[in-house]
Amino acid sequence: MDTLNDGLYRRFIKRFLDFLLSLLTLIILSPVFIIIAFLVRTKLGSPILFKQQRPGLNNQIFTMYKFRTMTDEKDDKGKLLPDNIRLTKFGKFLRSTSLDELPELINILKGDMSLIGPRPLLVEYLPLYNEFQRRRHEVRPGLSGWAQVNGRNSINWEDKFNFDVEYVNKVSFALDCKIILLTIKKVFAREGIHSDNSVTVEPFRGSNRKVYNE
């Protein structure tokens, strides 16, 4: 019975809850959206939203939305300066509180993303995945996920992919509720925002390792 219920949740109920909860959250937090948008425009300029192509369910490409956290400062050759220079104090605040992620609720409403699932990564990583790692795209990417509540940017790529595939294998209403509660805890504690060596996270360069076992 549990397997049947989990199957129904994965195929039908999860998407319904994503739509309903993202719509309600967008309505409730609309004043917060307006305030953040105004501050981003004032402190960082336009555009207010950062848009980037990301792979989603079954490798389908979609445009992901986030609040902008960096300036467009360039060197004398017109090349963007390093992230640690362009990431402002205000941008760091948005990232540490995860407020920069709020526009992804629009992606959830549209069906590009889910509240819970593997985080959407860069399109350029697609050719680098091995067969095991590619399984992360068997579900919609999420605003938060199993890897995020188990270290986020402070863990290595192999561990992230292991958590992602573990989630794909175990999707359930109970697990999603657990991740939501842990996400709230992590956001307030501001844990795992950065890796040890970067203001964001080191790029993925490919790996053949597989650690997770069912």
Side-chain angles (χ1 to χ4, degrees):
M1 181 62 71
D2 287 342
T3 301
L4 177 61
N5 290 338
D6 290 345
L8 290 173
Y9 175 74
R10 180 193 288 256
R11 288 193 295 272
F12 304 110
I13 301 173
K14 182 175 172 68
R15 174 61 194 141
F16 171 75
L17 290 178
D18 282 338
F19 180 86
L20 180 62
L21 293 176
S22 61
L23 179 61
L24 290 175
T25 305
L26 280 168
I27 294 172
I28 294 171
L29 295 183
S30 56
V32 177
F33 269 74
I34 294 172
I35 293 171
I36 295 176
F38 174 78
L39 291 174
V40 170
R41 179 67 179 84
T42 302
K43 295 177 178 293
L44 300 176
S46 60
I48 293 171
L49 294 180
F50 170 77
K51 301 178 183 180
Q52 192 173 58
Q53 297 292 293
R54 298 289 176 96
L57 177 65
N58 298 323
N59 299 331
Q60 293 296 309
I61 307 302
F62 69 95
T63 300
M64 186 184 75
Y65 308 113
K66 298 176 71 171
F67 279 121
R68 182 180 176 185
T69 58
M70 293 186 181
T71 67
D72 287 330
E73 293 179 87
K74 300 177 181 178
D75 59 22
D76 53 6
K77 296 181 180 179
K79 184 178 179 180
L80 287 173
L81 294 175
D83 289 355
N84 63 329
I85 296 177
R86 295 189 296 118
L87 183 61
T88 65
K89 184 176 180 180
F90 175 64
K92 290 179 181 177
F93 168 76
L94 289 179
R95 290 190 179 193
S96 67
T97 55
S98 295
L99 290 171
D100 64 316
E101 310 277 2
L102 287 180
E104 290 171 41
L105 289 167
I106 299 172
N107 290 120
I108 298 172
L109 195 64
K110 291 172 58 182
D112 300 325
M113 295 176 59
S114 176
L115 286 171
I116 302 300
R119 285 293 296 164
L121 301 177
L122 299 177
V123 174
E124 64 195 60
Y125 293 167
L126 285 175
L128 303 178
Y129 296 146
N130 58 36
E131 184 177 352
F132 173 77
Q133 295 162 347
R134 199 171 293 116
R135 292 200 58 215
R136 70 191 311 278
H137 293 292
E138 292 178 11
V139 296
R140 286 184 177 85
L143 182 64
S144 184
W146 194 222
Q148 276 57 52
V149 298
N150 281 284
R152 198 174 174 179
N153 289 338
S154 64
I155 58 177
N156 61 45
W157 281 107
E158 284 77 17
D159 288 340
K160 287 181 184 180
F161 290 132
N162 290 329
F163 282 123
D164 287 344
V165 176
E166 182 180 1
Y167 175 78
V168 170
N169 290 337
K170 299 180 178 180
V171 175
S172 69
F173 178 71
L175 180 57
D176 279 2
C177 289
K178 178 179 180 179
I179 293 173
I180 289 173
L181 293 175
L182 289 173
T183 297
I184 294 171
K185 177 183 176 182
K186 291 282 185 179
V187 167
F188 279 103
R190 302 189 186 184
E191 296 176 353
I193 305 301
H194 309 303
S195 67
D196 292 335
N197 304 312
S198 172
V199 296
T200 52
V201 64
E202 293 81 10
F204 177 60
R205 304 189 188 283
S207 169
N208 290 319
R209 287 182 58 196
K210 173 183 174 181
V211 180
Y212 169 71
N213 292 306
E214 294 187 42

